[in-house]
Amino acid sequence: MLQGYKLFTVTHRTTDINQIADFIIEAPDDEVLARKLKKIKDYFGIDELMYLNTCNRILFFMYKPEAIDINAFFFAVNEKLRKMSGSLHQSIEYYEDELAIHHLYEVASSVDSLVVGEREILRQLREAYRKCKTKFEITGDKLRIAMQMTVKSAKMVYGNTRIGEKPVSIVSLAVKKLLQSSPLPESRVLVIGAGQTNLLMSNFLKKYKFQDVVVFNRTLEKAQLLADRFTGNAIALDDLKTYQKGFDIMIICTGSTAKFVDSNLYAQLLQGDTDQKIIVDLSVPSNIDKGVFADHDINYIEIESLKKLAADNLAFRKNEISKVKEILAERVIEFKEVYRQREIERDYSHIPQQIKAVKEKAINVVFKKQLEAVDPNARLLIEEMMAYMEKKCIAVPIKKAKQDQLAD
Ligand SMILES: NC(=O)c1ccc[n+]([C@@H]2O[C@H](COP(=O)([O-])OP(=O)(O)OC[C@H]3O[C@@H](n4cnc5c(N)ncnc54)[C@H](OP(=O)(O)O)[C@@H]3O)[C@@H](O)[C@H]2O)c1
């Protein structure tokens, strides 16, 4: 029934993450990418094509009733792949017809993701389709209907299962734990390290409108870039030992392997303050010396317990997979029905024009003279009746065909 849909994919499941890059269509910009995709589409006689590229997934979704030589397809994607022609099939997953739709549903619903339940994949999929449709103009009605139903199914999955619940990223878990202490926006925050992790943490500081933020980093320019995001101050890491303004929350995450926050430095940073402090420590290994905890009252949010929580949450999400699969199986049946209806609409698409042409001929040729003889009100009524008939006549054969299909 769904013959013609095909899906080729290379993912973290079959291929080393670093090797996935070989399956990407190399293109410095969208113009080049569009040209390359169109070339592949024309060369293989593909009716409609869509391309998704994420850090752990390359996916080609297409409509073409005839078979495609998969090796040749990927050689067109990247010449370098010829070198691994003997083992190429081990990296590529191939689905067709109903299974292609089913796999697309699974991808969009994130059951196939490295981090199960991560909704980002749905956004990426929609964006890839939008580009292929409006910018590259390489999709058509078959992919439109498939994507429409895919998005609908994924939304149903996220709305009716708990697959997207319970955070699994270390940063979001750290933020959640920090918020449990109800910190005030006026809290004095020290951010130590200005790498990717603290960049993500800074989104939280911005969101919750923390105003007193100081960023320390080995490279001052990077500290400044991060501090500028919420008009905070930037200071070189070396100057931490002379910092005298105190703090309430310390967010520390650097690539250093040294426990440079020791009891002496910590006491200096406290400036005599004895209130409980919050430390969010995401460095691996930790940059905080054990002695610090012995001497001070600290609400310590550390990476090991967060990692454990992340693993538990991921296991919880994975438990939802069987429910998701049930929903998707039903949705594929629904897709078949929608697809069938759409086929009928396509088959009967000439009918409206034909009926309209009959109407126009009746008014302008066959009954032209008689109509000219009637008064304007009567003519208006006749034309309204004919428009009504036109509309009804168009619906009759399509309705009948749909009923016949249902009875089959
Ligand atoms: N396992 C997990 O799930 C997970 C999650 C989050 C974080 N982490 C850990 O967090 C740490 C940082 O991660 P990231 O993603 O933010 O890394 P990143 O983007 O590479 O940034 C590294 C940061 O650490 C600083 N740094 C590196 N070496 C240093 C040293 N010897 N002394 C002082 N500062 C140093 C860098 O300063 P410059 O700007 O001067 O280079 C930069 O601010 C790593 O230990 C990582 O393993 C792990």
Side-chain angles (χ1 to χ4, degrees):
M1 142 110 280
L2 302 177
Q3 281 90 351
Y5 284 111
K6 293 180 172 46
L7 192 151
F8 305 155
T9 186
V10 178
T11 70
H12 54 94
R13 255 182 298 102
T14 55
T15 309
D16 187 82
I17 297 270
N18 298 321
Q19 241 196 338
I20 289 181
D22 291 343
F23 294 81
I24 291 173
I25 298 180
E26 278 177 31
D29 55 46
D30 278 352
E31 212 175 297
V32 178
L33 180 60
R35 212 166 39 239
K36 288 190 172 182
L37 282 167
K38 277 182 187 151
K39 202 169 156 193
I40 290 174
K41 180 176 175 284
D42 292 345
Y43 183 80
F44 290 96
I46 297 166
D47 298 352
E48 303 179 28
L49 178 65
M50 171 181 154
Y51 168 64
L52 167 75
N53 160 19
T54 75
C55 59
N56 55 38
R57 180 182 311 273
I58 306 296
L59 183 150
F60 292 92
F61 180 52
M62 66 199 82
Y63 186 83
K64 173 178 162 66
E66 303 78 27
I68 293 183
D69 178 337
I70 300 176
N71 275 8
F73 181 91
F74 278 96
F75 298 158
V77 166
N78 185 353
E79 266 295 315
K80 273 194 274 177
L81 293 170
R82 282 187 190 279
K83 280 190 297 194
M84 57 181 290
S85 60
S87 57
L88 201 57
H89 65 279
Q90 289 167 3
S91 292
I92 301 163
E93 287 177 64
Y94 168 68
Y95 301 91
E96 59 183 349
D97 310 334
E98 189 176 323
L99 294 179
I101 297 295
H102 194 267
H103 187 73
L104 193 68
Y105 278 17
E106 287 193 335
V107 171
S109 307
S110 79
V111 287
D112 195 59
S113 296
L114 192 60
V115 180
V116 168
E118 211 68 281
R119 281 171 198 239
E120 175 63 2
I121 186 65
L122 179 58
R123 191 199 60 76
Q124 290 168 327
L125 201 59
R126 293 175 87 174
E127 175 57 18
Y129 172 68
R130 189 198 59 76
K131 243 187 196 177
C132 291
K133 176 177 176 257
T134 54
K135 211 166 175 189
F136 305 162
E137 297 177 333
I138 53 174
T139 67
D141 197 49
K142 304 271 186 188
L143 259 53
R144 181 191 66 77
I145 184 173
M147 272 305 293
Q148 194 181 58
M149 297 303 286
T150 299
V151 171
K152 188 177 163 201
S153 304
K155 285 184 174 172
M156 200 168 273
V157 163
Y158 293 123
N160 292 287
T161 70
R162 304 183 69 188
I163 193 151
E165 285 184 19
K166 305 211 180 218
V168 292
S169 95
I170 295 295
V171 169
S172 54
L173 284 167
V175 167
K176 207 171 169 202
K177 264 202 146 170
L178 178 53
L179 288 176
Q180 282 166 5
S181 315
S182 311
L184 299 170
E186 302 77 49
S187 305
R188 297 161 298 169
V189 184
L190 298 189
V191 174
I192 303 176
Q196 284 306 310
T197 309
N198 273 353
L199 191 70
L200 293 172
M201 285 299 293
S202 75
N203 291 338
F204 147 79
L205 297 173
K206 207 170 158 185
K207 182 173 171 189
Y208 289 92
K209 300 191 169 35
F210 284 87
Q211 298 131 17
D212 191 349
V213 180
V214 182
V215 182
F216 289 88
N217 193 46
R218 187 176 58 177
T219 310
L220 185 59
E221 293 77 20
K222 274 175 75 181
Q224 192 63 59
L225 279 176
L226 207 152
D228 286 348
R229 305 190 75 212
F230 32 77
T231 56
N233 291 322
I235 302 181
L237 188 60
D238 281 344
D239 295 334
L240 188 62
K241 48 188 175 297
T242 53
Y243 188 72
Q244 293 181 351
K245 293 190 176 157
F247 74 97
D248 302 300
I249 301 170
M250 178 189 290
I251 296 172
I252 181 163
C253 185
T254 80
S256 169
T257 51
K259 298 202 178 299
F260 59 85
V261 180
D262 58 18
S263 289
N264 287 339
L265 175 60
Y266 194 79
Q268 141 71 23
L269 290 172
L270 283 176
Q271 291 285 303
D273 189 348
T274 52
D275 289 351
Q276 188 191 54
K277 303 297 169 198
I278 302 173
I279 299 182
V280 181
D281 178 11
L282 300 183
S283 309
V284 181
S286 166
N287 298 140
I288 311 218
D289 188 76
K290 272 197 184 115
V292 171
F293 304 102
D295 303 335
H296 304 280
D297 184 9
I298 296 169
N299 174 1
Y300 186 49
I301 299 169
E302 46 78 40
I303 199 153
E304 276 315 312
S305 66
L306 295 177
K307 273 164 115 177
K308 161 91 176 60
L309 196 54
D312 290 350
N313 286 356
L314 194 58
F316 173 89
R317 287 182 175 194
K318 283 184 177 166
N319 273 338
E320 292 292 289
I321 289 180
S322 55
K323 276 188 217 157
V324 172
K325 294 210 166 181
E326 273 172 36
I327 292 177
L328 294 186
E330 282 169 22
R331 301 278 66 82
V332 172
I333 295 169
E334 182 200 23
F335 180 76
K336 282 191 206 166
E337 188 47 46
V338 171
Y339 185 83
R340 214 196 309 250
Q341 305 266 335
R342 185 69 192 129
E343 291 265 270
I344 294 168
E345 283 166 15
R346 265 196 293 263
D347 288 349
Y348 284 72
S349 61
H350 60 286
I351 285 184
Q353 286 96 318
Q354 282 185 352
I355 292 179
K356 193 180 178 70
V358 170
K359 186 190 87 176
E360 299 293 323
K361 193 173 171 189
I363 294 172
N364 300 317
V365 181
V366 184
F367 297 100
K368 188 168 188 280
K369 281 208 177 96
Q370 291 93 318
L371 279 173
E372 280 167 1
V374 298
D375 70 76
N377 282 344
R379 185 188 164 106
L380 195 67
L381 178 65
I382 291 167
E383 284 183 2
E384 276 177 10
M385 284 171 64
M386 293 198 69
Y388 175 81
M389 286 297 291
E390 178 192 351
K391 212 168 137 196
K392 292 291 165 190
C393 288
I394 289 168
V396 168
I398 299 177
K399 199 171 165 190
K400 174 80 172 70
K402 285 181 177 174
Q403 280 167 350
D404 290 350
Q405 281 273 10
L406 280 177
D408 282 349

